[in-house]
Amino acid sequence: MRSIMRSIIAAQGFILVAMATSSAADCNPKDFTFADVEKSNISDTVKIMSYSFLEKSRQEASGKDASASAYYEAPIGLSYSESKSLAEKTLEENKFNFDRSTVKAYVRTALSKVGASMYSDCLAAQTIHAEVNSAAYRAPAFFLDIQWTPKTVGVGAGDFSIRVINGTVEGEKHLKGSFKSQEQKQFEVSRDPDRETQISIAIDGQTYPTLEIPPVLKPVKFQFLQLQGKASVPRDAAGNVCKDFAFLVSENGSAGGPDSKSCTLCAARPTNGVLLPSTAAFQGPPESKYVHSKVTSAGDLEVCGQFYTIGPGKGGGRAEVPKGSTFSVWAAIPE
């Protein structure tokens, strides 16, 4: 699954750029969107987190998310809302219970290389650059690259300070030293992969917003099952059968009579599972003037579909949902 995800989001090289000054108000990042997430080279962890709370437009939400289908190795297409549900389930299985602001901080940190435009109002964006290798999101050690390019003429060197919470930089919790103008340095950071890591950087009086790296997300494998809908109150009458399939007949002179009939079949959410309403499907007759099918509910707990006839059929003839007509929906269950 990891190799599939890497091929989808090209999680290679550096994925983190943060830019700031001592004035936090000048370095507020811009909002980001699903489009930013899709085009960025971010980690599995952060992509899952971004899906857990980002909202798509009405038009986008109606489509399918091919990258998520591949990542979860789903045999069916997933909608964006279903990708979000599986992301939330993945975080839940990892016992990650971060509030919205924390998740946004993680995602913004990882997305900052989407472009300096995310920090376009930050004065230090033209002078200070820091990049964290993508290994930070999956390994206990990674490299932090920092370059200082002051614009003030005549500045030769400046003092720097790097502090790490839940980790060390070059073996120290708090590292101090000096940067020359235009110089780039690489530092080794070690971290506890089961805890959040925070990195604070200051150079010559300018301070980065804290870089926030989440705990390493353990992959969750999902089993995908196709559930068959069932009637809540089964019946087996002549021309009016509704059990785990439907058989409806509306016809003058038939045993079932000419009245309109309906059969609602529902699939409940499996224990610890996630229903995927966009996969709801009817295995029955095509739509016509006298025979219809429709999804009647698509919630988190239950998805239901209904077959119905409008009787009697044309000219008093037969309107029929043939015996064996079924309704199904897929669900995902963590293994």
Side-chain angles (χ1 to χ4, degrees), residues 40-260:
S40 64
N41 299 331
I42 63 175
S43 71
D44 296 12
T45 299
V46 176
K47 185 161 187 174
I48 294 265
M49 288 182 172
S50 69
Y51 268 76
S52 74
F53 73 89
L54 276 173
E55 299 293 343
K56 294 193 72 69
S57 68
R58 185 184 301 273
Q59 180 179 1
E60 290 173 318
S62 65
K64 293 288 185 179
D65 185 356
S67 64
S69 297
Y71 173 65
Y72 291 112
E73 298 180 347
I76 33 72
L78 299 174
S79 70
Y80 284 101
S81 61
E82 290 161 355
S83 298
K84 179 176 179 178
S85 295
L86 293 184
E88 291 170 344
K89 177 59 68 173
T90 299
L91 296 178
E92 179 185 316
E93 291 294 302
N94 276 266
K95 296 181 170 56
F96 285 4
N97 186 27
F98 305 120
D99 60 33
R100 183 180 178 89
S101 62
T102 300
V103 174
K104 290 177 80 171
Y106 291 154
V107 179
R108 281 195 175 112
T109 297
L111 281 178
S112 55
K113 196 176 179 179
V114 171
S117 59
M118 182 158 288
Y119 287 93
S120 59
D121 295 333
C122 182
L123 299 178
Q126 300 176 17
T127 63
I128 304 174
H129 310 273
E131 297 185 359
V132 176
N133 190 272
S134 58
Y137 292 91
R138 62 177 185 270
F142 57 92
F143 289 108
L144 167 67
D145 284 286
I146 301 175
Q147 184 178 26
W148 185 45
T149 58
K151 302 301 181 182
T152 304
V153 177
V155 175
D159 293 332
F160 76 82
S161 169
I162 305 174
R163 294 178 184 270
V164 181
I165 296 177
N166 294 327
T168 61
V169 54
E170 298 294 332
E172 303 288 340
K173 289 284 188 182
H174 183 195
L175 183 67
K176 295 182 178 181
S178 176
F179 258 97
K180 295 178 182 179
S181 177
Q182 311 301 316
E183 184 178 17
Q184 180 171 335
K185 291 186 178 183
Q186 185 174 82
F187 303 91
E188 184 175 5
V189 178
S190 298
R191 63 173 298 205
D192 180 348
D194 295 324
R195 303 174 69 186
E196 176 190 77
T197 302
Q198 297 181 1
I199 303 174
S200 300
I201 304 168
I203 303 178
D204 197 35
Q206 295 181 323
T207 304
Y208 280 59
T210 301
L211 308 182
E212 300 185 50
I213 303 172
V216 173
L217 185 77
K218 297 176 177 64
V220 175
K221 178 74 173 178
F222 285 93
Q223 179 183 13
F224 291 87
L225 301 175
Q226 189 175 26
L227 308 178
Q228 297 297 320
K230 298 180 180 180
S232 59
V233 181
R235 64 177 187 269
D236 191 358
N240 192 6
V241 179
C242 188
K243 298 187 291 185
D244 55 356
F245 66 89
F247 175 40
L248 308 175
V249 177
S250 297
E251 181 182 23
N252 285 329
S254 69
D259 296 342
S260 299

Side-chain angles (χ1 to χ4, degrees), residues 311-332:
K314 183 177 180 180
R318 191 178 185 90
E320 179 180 4
V321 173
K323 186 175 182 179
S325 297
T326 59
F327 171 75
S328 65
V329 67
W330 287 78

